[in-house]
């Protein structure tokens, strides 16, 4: 029975990666990156595994390298830089469903302020300028330092579809974890939405903490801290270790799939 639940978790976790890749492709459409001779979903899945390399930037660097020859450096920079911040916003929006105090729930909804065009423009331009400087310092990108002043795209319609897809990614990711909890018979210890909120907050911390490739260790420590009073610590640790294993295996599976698809397309073009 537990093996079946592990297998279901693996399938769902693999599927979540496709959802995330599709959200990235939708973001490229929003930014006007459409007619390029590359499968963006395949590229995303091929490079996603590089997040485990120390430094946590190798997957971004590889995407920039492959896309720069096909589109403007500035559009590629926007695509790479915006995606993690949209994921963070999506994860924050699940947190108010949990049993946290009211003040923290209100704080978690603060990202919704970007729906206001003026605030959105100010926030993203500041964020992108900071990110751009860091990437230039690391010799990852080389773009016109003044271009960001003239970006008005964030005054237009917000990419709601991308945000909904990123929220779906977080939810699907969590749903795979939920089956791990079921395998250890601890899913009934606290409510589904409390668990979802704790998972989302842990995922946020794992994403933003530097020098934690793939969030390894940080996600687990945060979730354990949030739930240690709700269930047996040994059971939580076991479920977290199994979920990390399944998450890593799912990254490898979709990487192999994407490499095979890419190789087949390359052969067809020859």
């Amino acid at each position: 029975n537990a093996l079946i639940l592990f297998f279901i978790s693996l399938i769902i976790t693999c599927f979540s990666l496709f959802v995330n890749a599709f959200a990235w492709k939708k973001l490229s459409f929003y930014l006007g990156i459409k007619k390029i001779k590359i499968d963006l979903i395949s590229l995303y899945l091929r490079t996603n595994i590089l997040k485990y390399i120390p430094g946590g930037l190798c997957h971004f660097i590889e995407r920039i390298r492959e896309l720069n020859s096909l589109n403007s450096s500035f559009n590629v920079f926007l695509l790479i830089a915006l995606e993690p911040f949209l994921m963070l916003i999506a994860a924050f929006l699940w947190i108010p469903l949990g049993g946290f105090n009211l003040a923290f729930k209100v704080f978690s909804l603060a990202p919704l302020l970007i729906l206001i065009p003026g605030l959105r423009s100010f926030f993203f331009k500041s964020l992108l300028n900071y990110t751009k400087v860091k990437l230039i310092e690391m010799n990852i990108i080389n773009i016109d330092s003044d271009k960001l002043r003239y970006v008005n795209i964030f005054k237009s319609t917000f990419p709601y579809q991308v945000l909904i897809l990123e929220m779906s990614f977080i939810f699907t990711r969590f749903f795979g974890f939920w089956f791990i909890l079921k395998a250890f018979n601890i899913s009934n210890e606290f409510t589904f939405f409390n668990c979802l909120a704790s998972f989302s907050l842990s995922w946020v911390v794992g994403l933003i903490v530097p020098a934690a490739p793939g969030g390894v260790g940080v996600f687990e420590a945060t979730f354990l801290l949030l739930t240690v009073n709700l269930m047996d610590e040994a059971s939580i640790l076991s479920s977290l270790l199994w979920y990390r294993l399944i998450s890593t295996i799912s990254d490898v599976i979709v990487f192999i799939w994407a490499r095979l698809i890419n190789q087949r397309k390359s052969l067809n073009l020859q």
Side-chain angles (χ1 to χ4, degrees), residues 24-34 71-72 74-83 128 151 153-154 159 162:
W24 193 60
K25 184 175 182 178
K26 278 287 188 181
L27 179 60
S28 74
F29 291 169
Y30 172 76
L31 295 172
I33 306 174
K34 295 181 180 180
N71 209 280
S72 75
F74 188 66
N75 282 345
V76 171
F77 163 70
L78 288 176
L79 179 60
I80 300 300
L82 282 179
E83 187 234 359
L128 290 172
V151 177
I153 190 169
F154 305 114
V162 179

Side-chain angles (χ1 to χ4, degrees), residues 41-186:
I41 290 179
S42 175
L43 171 62
Y44 192 92
L45 297 177
R46 279 189 289 115
T47 55
N48 190 57
I49 199 167
L50 298 177
K51 66 188 179 184
Y52 291 109
I53 296 177
L57 292 174
C58 290
H59 54 313
F60 295 137
I61 296 171
E62 182 61 21
R63 289 167 193 166
I64 290 172
R65 187 189 68 79
E66 293 204 30
L67 288 173
N68 265 347
S69 61
L70 302 169
N71 209 280
S72 75
S73 297
F74 188 66
N75 282 345
V76 171
F77 163 70
L78 288 176
L79 179 60
I80 300 300
L82 282 179
E83 187 234 359
F85 296 110
L86 287 173
M87 285 198 293
L88 281 174
I89 293 167
F92 265 113
L93 295 181
W94 286 116
I95 294 174
L97 297 178
F100 299 109
N101 63 53
L102 181 60
F104 191 71
K105 288 183 178 182
V106 172
F107 171 78
S108 300
L109 291 174
L112 289 176
L113 292 173
I114 64 168
L115 298 181
I116 303 172
L119 289 176
R120 174 166 70 246
S121 179
F122 171 79
F123 174 76
F124 275 125
K125 283 184 180 180
S126 301
L127 189 63
L128 290 172
N129 269 308
Y130 173 80
T131 306
K132 178 206 62 178
V133 169
K134 292 297 181 182
L135 293 178
I136 290 176
E137 288 176 352
M138 298 170 68
N139 294 317
I140 295 175
I141 61 170
N142 182 21
I143 59 176
D144 184 354
S145 61
D146 293 327
K147 264 189 171 180
L148 283 181
R149 296 181 186 175
Y150 308 105
V151 177
N152 293 316
I153 190 169
F154 305 114
K155 293 182 180 178
S156 61
T157 304
F158 184 80
Y160 295 103
Q161 286 185 331
V162 179
L163 183 60
I164 291 171
L165 283 168
E166 294 292 9
M167 289 184 69
S168 300
F169 159 68
I170 300 295
F171 181 84
T172 310
R173 199 84 176 163
F174 162 73
F175 202 46
F177 179 61
W178 184 252
F179 278 94
I180 298 294
L181 296 180
K182 281 186 172 295
F184 284 92
N185 296 315
I186 56 177

Side-chain angles (χ1 to χ4, degrees), residues 189-206:
E189 298 294 328
F190 56 120
T191 69
F192 182 87
F193 288 110
N194 273 341
C195 188
L196 172 59
S198 297
F199 177 92
S200 299
L201 179 56
S202 303
W203 189 89
V204 165
V205 176

